[in-house]
Amino acid sequence: MSAFDNPFSVSNRKIDPTRRQHLKPDGTPDNNDRVEIGPTSLAFQEWTDLGLTAPDMPSLREYRLSRIRAELKKRDYAGILMWDPLNIRYATDSTNMQLWITHNSARACFIATEGPVVLFDFHSCNHLSEHLPLVDEIRTVTSFFYFESAQRTPEMAKSFAAEIDELVRKYGGGNRRLAVDKMEIAGVWAFQEIGLELMNGQEVTEFARLVKNDNEVNAMRCAIAACEISMQEMRDAFYHGITEDELWSHLHAGNIKRGGEWIETRILSSGPRTNPWFQECGPRHISEGDLLSFDTDLIGPYGYCSDLSRSWICGDGKPTDEQKRLYQYAHEHIMTNTERLKPGMSFEELTFGGHNLAEEFVPLRYGVKYHGVGLCDEYPSIRYPQDYEHCGYEGVTVPGMVLCVEAYIGVVGGTDGIKLEDQVLITDTGYDRLSNFPFEDDFLK
């Protein structure tokens, strides 16, 4: 069904001025019986209290789709086929069982460089995207992952490839170069068999998502504020005897009740479990004076990622001298490396310059010194000097890029690990810190 044929997309494509009183602050219909997900009234009120501006969602959707098409034109591709649910979200703002879809390829989206946006959705799900004005047509997807198609996988892959081939022939003007972000191997074989030249769709989407305009930054500021309020709620529930799991649940609950969506990881640990890093929260009871370190990895309202890290002490106890030493080093690390940020810096310059780790902290270093962020962790990954030869790459910072500045500080055989991380926007002249959650005075004294 073409989205132009249903009343939802018509009314959203050109909003009737007489109905503006029926819109939420983000420009979406003020009707909570709607299919569309989004922030709750609690989130909107908190953003108003903080002086934040909600994004204009109709405008943001148009901007993001235009970014995808600009990258396609730059590379002379006929279009792109996207399976990654976050890429589909970016281009269309369409969502459906996002986590389930990450490991079951049951949704796809074809975007012609010059032509329509065609969404292929899970069966009986067309209604979930009928409100979206930029989706021109919705079809039921022909899945070809083994759970769905079993021994008929090659047959189903060929059937789906034929649908895409028809779209490329109709709208590609003879161009057979099709970007694909990721796809089941049976699909790769089927597409190659019919003569489509598959190109790197991840490059297209990562460069499209790289630059945020002011409106998209507004969405990120709102999502970060919701995350930080949820962090404070978790802090308020942090008491002697609580388990790591229960404490983490307060962060998750705070996110959900504000219209957030999920948390990518469970990285919260206490006491001796803070070293080494990446231990996920478990049944351990946290005691008075225990160190706690966590990374939010939180997908909040509008699907935007708030990727912040902090370390706290349980109760009224004071940090030990060693904990203060580690914390102060981590704080100096991210503050110094943030102060350097400006447009036009090479990734190599960011890797080798600024505040680098003392030898005692190198073995347990975090995987990146900086990384991009938007709907999730995104391009680029900017490494530490020790990792540059193995997996570093060239690139340059540009205005509108949002970076996370990272530090994990712990020593091999130690009992403590400090994790700090802030989220920063590259501006025309320097940087703007998007995250505002305070650091710990008792650690910094």
Side-chain angles (χ1 to χ4, degrees):
M1 178 181 66
S2 170
F4 294 116
D5 296 334
N6 74 75
F8 298 100
S9 61
V10 172
S11 64
N12 277 0
R13 182 174 291 276
K14 186 176 181 180
I15 298 171
D16 182 347
T18 65
R19 298 181 59 211
R20 289 194 180 274
Q21 68 271 26
H22 302 301
L23 298 179
K24 291 177 181 284
D26 58 9
T28 62
D30 189 7
N31 173 13
N32 288 334
D33 289 336
R34 67 190 190 180
V35 169
E36 183 176 358
I37 63 174
T40 62
S41 57
L42 171 64
F44 282 122
Q45 185 59 58
E46 289 171 340
W47 298 340
T48 297
D49 294 344
L50 290 168
L52 296 175
T53 301
D56 178 338
M57 287 308 296
S59 175
L60 180 52
R61 291 162 178 162
E62 291 179 357
Y63 170 76
R64 297 191 312 201
L65 180 57
S66 74
R67 291 281 307 169
I68 294 287
R69 285 201 163 118
E71 293 297 326
L72 292 172
K73 290 176 182 177
K74 188 185 301 183
R75 293 165 175 77
D76 189 28
Y77 295 163
I80 185 170
L81 177 65
M82 300 181 298
W83 294 91
D84 187 318
L86 299 189
N87 286 333
I88 296 172
R89 174 69 173 277
Y90 180 83
T92 68
D93 208 28
S94 172
T95 66
N96 185 5
M97 305 181 293
Q98 294 292 82
L99 291 182
W100 190 82
I101 293 295
T102 62
H103 58 94
N104 293 285
S105 298
R107 300 185 87 221
C109 183
F110 171 80
I111 299 175
T113 305
E114 302 287 349
V117 174
V118 182
L119 179 66
F120 297 84
D121 215 334
F122 196 58
H123 65 84
S124 301
C125 289
N126 287 19
H127 61 287
L128 296 180
S129 298
E130 287 177 339
H131 66 282
L132 293 168
L134 302 182
V135 176
D136 299 313
E137 183 180 353
I138 305 172
R139 304 182 186 181
T140 298
V141 71
T142 302
S143 299
F144 49 90
F145 57 100
Y146 203 83
F147 161 45
E148 281 266 305
S149 52
Q151 65 268 27
R152 296 185 66 188
T153 294
E155 173 193 348
M156 297 296 102
K158 289 179 181 180
S159 176
F160 183 78
E163 286 192 73
I164 300 301
D165 186 45
E166 178 187 17
L167 290 168
V168 171
R169 290 182 186 278
K170 185 173 182 179
Y171 298 105
N175 188 340
R176 303 288 287 166
R177 290 153 54 88
L178 176 68
V180 180
D181 61 354
K182 54 184 66 177
M183 186 162 58
E184 299 280 335
I185 188 65
V188 175
W189 295 334
F191 278 56
Q192 291 173 337
E193 189 175 310
I194 59 177
L196 282 168
E197 186 179 358
L198 302 185
M199 313 305 293
N200 189 344
Q202 289 188 39
E203 180 183 64
V204 170
T205 58
E206 291 290 338
F207 275 90
R209 289 161 59 170
L210 178 67
V211 176
K212 286 79 175 170
N213 67 1
D214 290 344
N215 191 27
E216 188 168 11
V217 171
N218 283 342
M220 296 192 75
R221 290 185 192 274
C222 288
I224 290 169
C227 174
E228 292 182 330
I229 296 170
S230 301
M231 289 167 65
Q232 185 59 52
E233 290 173 349
M234 182 170 74
R235 182 70 180 267
D236 293 341
F238 187 26
Y239 60 87
H240 167 77
I242 194 171
T243 65
E244 294 173 352
D245 283 330
E246 185 179 352
L247 182 61
W248 178 85
S249 74
H250 289 275
L251 179 65
H252 186 69
N255 183 41
I256 298 301
K257 73 183 181 183
R258 291 173 173 86
E261 300 186 13
W262 72 86
I263 299 180
E264 298 262 71
T265 67
R266 294 165 50 93
I267 302 178
L268 177 152
S269 53
S270 63
R273 299 185 73 246
T274 61
N275 183 332
W277 191 234
F278 285 110
Q279 299 186 59
E280 297 194 319
C281 61
R284 183 181 187 272
H285 291 268
I286 305 172
S287 298
E288 183 83 11
D290 275 351
L291 178 68
L292 175 85
S293 294
F294 65 93
D295 191 333
T296 59
D297 290 324
L298 183 150
I299 309 302
Y302 305 115
Y304 279 98
C305 181
S306 299
D307 194 5
L308 314 176
S309 298
R310 291 294 186 266
S311 294
W312 302 332
I313 288 288
C314 180
D316 298 324
K318 301 298 181 183
T320 66
D321 288 345
E322 175 65 1
Q323 289 167 346
K324 290 172 69 171
R325 181 180 80 93
L326 299 177
Y327 192 103
Q328 290 169 16
Y329 193 93
H331 185 263
E332 180 185 6
H333 188 71
I334 67 168
M335 291 296 105
T336 302
N337 290 335
T338 297
E339 292 292 335
R340 304 182 65 230
L341 291 172
K342 61 183 179 180
M345 297 188 74
S346 72
F347 296 170
E348 185 174 10
E349 183 180 1
L350 289 173
T351 288
F352 289 97
H355 191 280
N356 277 310
L357 298 176
E359 202 58 42
E360 65 176 318
F361 303 130
V362 168
L364 296 184
R365 67 189 177 279
Y366 198 67
V368 292
K369 195 173 178 182
Y370 307 85
H371 70 79
V373 65
L375 293 182
C376 61
D377 289 0
E378 297 176 352
Y379 169 90
S381 290
I382 301 175
R383 311 289 179 170
Y384 280 101
Q386 294 81 2
D387 305 306
Y388 188 78
E389 183 177 354
H390 173 63
C391 52
Y393 48 77
E394 297 178 355
V396 177
T397 57
V398 296
M401 176 189 290
V402 178
L403 294 175
C404 288
V405 189
E406 298 263 13
Y408 174 74
I409 302 299
V411 298
V412 174
T415 57
D416 298 308
I418 298 293
K419 183 68 166 63
L420 300 180
E421 178 182 12
D422 267 349
Q423 208 157 315
V424 179
L425 169 70
I426 304 296
T427 67
D428 290 333
T429 57
Y431 72 91
D432 182 10
R433 185 175 285 109
L434 299 181
S435 48
N436 296 288
F437 200 91
F439 294 98
E440 300 300 292
D441 289 341
D442 283 347
F443 283 87
L444 293 174
K445 289 177 182 177

